[in-house]
Amino acid sequence: MSLALPTARGRVMEQAALKPLTWFRVGGPAEVLYRPADTADLRAFLRDLPLEVPVTVIGAASNLIVRDGGINGVVIRLARGFGEVAIEGDMVTAGAACLDVTVAEHAAEAGLAGLEFLSGIPGTIGGAVCMNAGAYGGEVAQVLAWAELVTRSGELIRLSPEQLHLSYRHAEIAPGAVVVRAAFRARPGDPALIAARMAEIRAKREATQPTRARTGGSTFANPEGQKAWELIDAAGCRGLRLGDAQISELHCNFLLNLGEATAAELEALGEQARARVRAMSGVELRWEIKRIGVPL
């Protein structure tokens, strides 16, 4: 193996395909893909990994374009050892690999309200913390009590929302650090009302977003006081195609892989939309989808 890697109890794979792990189904391989067994395994691995080896963390890869040349260094993807949900009083604690919707469902079953919005976010809790994810009137910053991270040096730390400096779709997390667990404050609620709200979110999402396509989350962040999809639509980009990459006709702030699109085509199509919006309105759209790795 070309990289000097520590021993690990988790799975370590060289030249591992990432395309099947991403919602877009695009991208090249990871030089090394590491799935830690648990937090202790992750801490030891990062502590002993040479600092010059780059580390990239991915979750559900629902809001991610992996470029066609793949990712150098070590890609970390949390799995089963980070999937527990626990409820104590009004506090819901979840491992970073838990799907957001799973956490919302556990809270609902316990009669806890305030986390329903998570059911409309197609990702993991780790990603939700890193992105200060939000939808349907809620966001992580409103409910997060703390997050635990393993630093690049292998230290386990607990940070408050204030220490994470949460802002719109952003948290300040040191390079190479991995969110492993988070706790959320909920409140007692009427189970019937909680279930109804989650059903409403699910129906609205399925009616307005291409949920069954090869896609990601919102492509661009909403500019202050404006909606990205409206700007993209007004710039004439609805349904715009580049190869098998397309801007969704259902929701203009979603990119689609219609079959054999490359990461380069998806990214180039996004840049076309940004250029058209800039020319029409003067607004500079900011990518919300993370684009990582090496272009071909």
Side-chain angles (χ1 to χ4, degrees), residues 127-134 138-142 144 160-173 221-222 224 286 288 290:
V129 171
C130 292
M131 290 285 293
N132 184 23
E139 69 174 5
V140 165
Q142 298 167 354
L144 184 68
S160 68
E162 293 75 23
Q163 289 171 310
L164 289 166
H165 300 285
L166 299 177
S167 58
Y168 179 66
R169 304 297 172 264
H170 179 74
E172 286 187 15
I173 293 175
N222 289 325
E224 185 71 34
R286 178 173 64 84
E288 186 171 321
K290 302 293 184 186

Coordinates of all heavy atoms in Angstrom, one line a residue, residues 127-134 138-142 144 160-173 221-222 224 286 288 290:
G127 N -23.2 14.8 8.9 CA -23.3 15.8 7.9 C -24.2 17.0 8.3 O -24.0 18.1 8.0
A128 N -25.3 16.7 9.0 CA -26.2 17.7 9.5 C -25.5 18.7 10.4 O -25.8 19.9 10.3 CB -27.4 17.1 10.1
V129 N -24.7 18.2 11.3 CA -23.9 19.1 12.1 C -22.9 19.9 11.3 O -22.8 21.1 11.5 CB -23.2 18.3 13.3 CG1 -22.3 19.2 14.0 CG2 -24.2 17.6 14.2
C130 N -22.2 19.3 10.5 CA -21.2 19.9 9.7 C -21.7 21.0 8.8 O -21.1 22.1 8.5 CB -20.4 19.0 8.8 SG -19.4 17.8 9.7
M131 N -23.0 20.8 8.3 CA -23.6 21.8 7.4 C -24.6 22.7 8.1 O -25.2 23.5 7.4 CB -24.4 21.0 6.3 CG -23.5 20.3 5.3 SD -22.7 21.4 4.1 CE -24.2 21.9 3.2
N132 N -24.8 22.5 9.4 CA -25.9 23.2 10.1 C -27.2 23.0 9.2 O -27.8 24.0 8.8 CB -25.6 24.6 10.4 CG -26.7 25.3 11.2 OD1 -27.5 24.7 11.8 ND2 -26.8 26.6 11.0
A133 N -27.5 21.8 8.9 CA -28.5 21.5 7.9 C -29.9 22.0 8.4 O -30.1 22.1 9.6 CB -28.6 20.0 7.7
G134 N -30.7 22.4 7.5 CA -32.0 22.9 7.8 C -33.0 22.6 6.7 O -32.7 22.5 5.6
G138 N -36.9 24.5 10.3 CA -36.0 24.2 11.4 C -34.5 24.0 10.9 O -34.3 23.8 9.7
E139 N -33.6 24.2 11.8 CA -32.2 23.9 11.5 C -31.5 23.4 12.7 O -31.9 23.6 13.9 CB -31.5 25.1 10.9 CG -31.3 26.3 11.8 CD -30.5 27.4 11.2 OE1 -30.2 27.3 10.0 OE2 -30.1 28.3 11.9
V140 N -30.3 22.7 12.5 CA -29.6 22.1 13.6 C -29.3 23.1 14.7 O -29.3 22.8 15.9 CB -28.3 21.4 13.0 CG1 -27.3 21.1 14.1 CG2 -28.7 20.2 12.2
A141 N -28.9 24.3 14.3 CA -28.5 25.3 15.3 C -29.6 25.6 16.4 O -29.3 25.9 17.5 CB -28.1 26.6 14.6
Q142 N -30.8 25.4 16.0 CA -31.9 25.6 16.9 C -32.1 24.5 18.0 O -32.7 24.8 19.1 CB -33.2 25.7 16.2 CG -33.3 26.9 15.2 CD -34.5 26.7 14.2 OE1 -35.2 25.7 14.2 NE2 -34.7 27.7 13.4
L144 N -29.4 21.8 18.6 CA -28.2 21.1 19.0 C -27.8 21.5 20.4 O -27.7 22.6 20.7 CB -27.1 21.4 18.0 CG -25.7 20.7 18.2 CD1 -25.9 19.2 17.9 CD2 -24.6 21.3 17.4
S160 N -19.9 22.9 22.0 CA -21.2 23.5 22.1 C -21.5 24.1 20.7 O -20.6 24.3 19.9 CB -21.3 24.6 23.2 OG -20.4 25.7 22.8
P161 N -22.8 24.4 20.5 CA -23.1 25.1 19.2 C -22.4 26.4 19.1 O -21.9 26.8 18.0 CB -24.6 25.4 19.4 CG -25.1 24.3 20.3 CD -24.0 24.1 21.3
E162 N -22.1 27.1 20.2 CA -21.3 28.4 20.2 C -19.9 28.1 19.7 O -19.3 28.9 18.9 CB -21.4 29.1 21.5 CG -22.7 29.6 22.0 CD -23.7 28.5 22.4 OE1 -23.2 27.4 22.8 OE2 -24.9 28.7 22.3
Q163 N -19.3 27.0 20.2 CA -17.9 26.7 19.8 C -17.8 26.3 18.4 O -16.8 26.4 17.7 CB -17.4 25.6 20.7 CG -17.1 26.1 22.2 CD -16.8 24.9 23.1 OE1 -17.6 23.9 23.2 NE2 -15.7 25.0 23.8
L164 N -18.9 25.7 17.8 CA -19.0 25.4 16.4 C -19.2 26.5 15.5 O -19.1 26.4 14.3 CB -20.0 24.3 16.2 CG -19.7 22.9 16.8 CD1 -21.0 22.0 16.8 CD2 -18.6 22.2 16.0
H165 N -19.6 27.7 16.1 CA -19.9 28.9 15.3 C -20.8 28.6 14.1 O -20.6 28.9 13.0 CB -18.6 29.5 14.8 CG -17.6 29.9 15.9 ND1 -17.8 31.0 16.7 CD2 -16.5 29.3 16.3 CE1 -16.8 31.1 17.5 NE2 -16.0 30.1 17.3
L166 N -22.0 28.0 14.5 CA -22.9 27.6 13.4 C -23.5 28.8 12.8 O -23.9 29.8 13.4 CB -24.1 26.8 14.1 CG -23.7 25.5 14.7 CD1 -24.9 24.8 15.4 CD2 -23.0 24.5 13.7
S167 N -23.5 28.8 11.4 CA -24.2 29.8 10.6 C -24.9 29.2 9.5 O -25.0 27.9 9.5 CB -23.1 30.8 10.1 OG -22.1 30.1 9.3
Y168 N -25.4 29.9 8.6 CA -26.3 29.3 7.5 C -25.5 28.3 6.7 O -24.5 28.6 6.1 CB -26.8 30.4 6.6 CG -27.6 29.9 5.4 CD1 -28.9 29.3 5.7 CD2 -27.2 29.9 4.1 CE1 -29.6 28.8 4.6 CE2 -27.9 29.5 3.1 CZ -29.2 28.9 3.3 OH -29.9 28.4 2.3
R169 N -25.9 27.0 6.9 CA -25.3 25.8 6.2 C -23.8 25.7 6.4 O -23.1 25.3 5.6 CB -25.6 25.9 4.7 CG -27.1 26.0 4.4 CD -27.9 24.7 4.9 NE -29.3 24.9 4.7 CZ -30.1 25.4 5.7 NH1 -29.6 25.6 6.9 NH2 -31.4 25.5 5.5
H170 N -23.4 26.0 7.7 CA -21.9 26.0 7.9 C -21.7 25.8 9.4 O -22.4 26.3 10.3 CB -21.3 27.3 7.5 CG -19.8 27.4 7.7 ND1 -18.9 26.7 7.0 CD2 -19.1 28.1 8.7 CE1 -17.7 27.0 7.5 NE2 -17.8 27.8 8.5
A171 N -20.6 25.0 9.7 CA -20.1 24.9 11.1 C -18.6 25.0 10.9 O -18.0 24.5 9.9 CB -20.5 23.6 11.7
E172 N -17.9 25.5 11.9 CA -16.5 25.6 11.9 C -15.9 24.4 12.5 O -15.9 24.2 13.7 CB -16.0 26.9 12.7 CG -16.2 28.2 11.9 CD -15.6 29.4 12.5 OE1 -14.7 29.2 13.5 OE2 -16.0 30.5 12.2
I173 N -15.4 23.5 11.7 CA -14.8 22.2 12.1 C -13.4 22.1 11.5 O -13.2 22.3 10.3 CB -15.7 21.0 11.7 CG1 -17.0 21.1 12.4 CG2 -15.0 19.7 11.9 CD1 -18.1 20.1 12.0
A221 N -26.9 27.5 -2.0 CA -27.5 28.1 -0.8 C -28.4 29.3 -1.3 O -28.1 30.0 -2.3 CB -26.4 28.6 0.1
N222 N -29.4 29.5 -0.5 CA -30.3 30.6 -0.8 C -29.6 31.9 -0.4 O -29.2 32.1 0.7 CB -31.6 30.5 0.0 CG -32.5 29.4 -0.5 OD1 -32.5 29.2 -1.7 ND2 -33.2 28.8 0.4
E224 N -29.4 35.8 0.8 CA -30.1 36.5 1.8 C -31.4 37.1 1.1 O -31.4 37.9 0.2 CB -29.3 37.7 2.4 CG -30.0 38.4 3.5 CD -30.1 37.6 4.8 OE1 -29.2 36.8 5.0 OE2 -31.1 37.7 5.5
R286 N -23.8 30.7 -4.2 CA -22.8 29.9 -3.5 C -23.2 28.5 -3.5 O -24.3 28.1 -3.2 CB -22.7 30.5 -2.1 CG -21.6 29.7 -1.3 CD -21.4 30.4 0.1 NE -22.6 30.4 0.9 CZ -22.9 29.4 1.7 NH1 -22.2 28.3 1.7 NH2 -24.0 29.4 2.5
E288 N -23.9 25.0 -2.3 CA -24.2 24.3 -1.1 C -23.7 22.8 -1.1 O -23.3 22.3 -0.2 CB -25.7 24.4 -0.8 CG -26.1 23.8 0.6 CD -27.5 24.1 0.9 OE1 -28.0 25.2 0.6 OE2 -28.1 23.2 1.5
K290 N -21.2 20.0 -1.7 CA -19.8 20.0 -1.5 C -19.2 19.3 -2.8 O -19.7 18.2 -3.2 CB -19.3 19.2 -0.3 CG -19.9 19.9 1.0 CD -19.3 21.2 1.3 CE -19.8 21.8 2.6 NZ -19.3 23.1 2.8

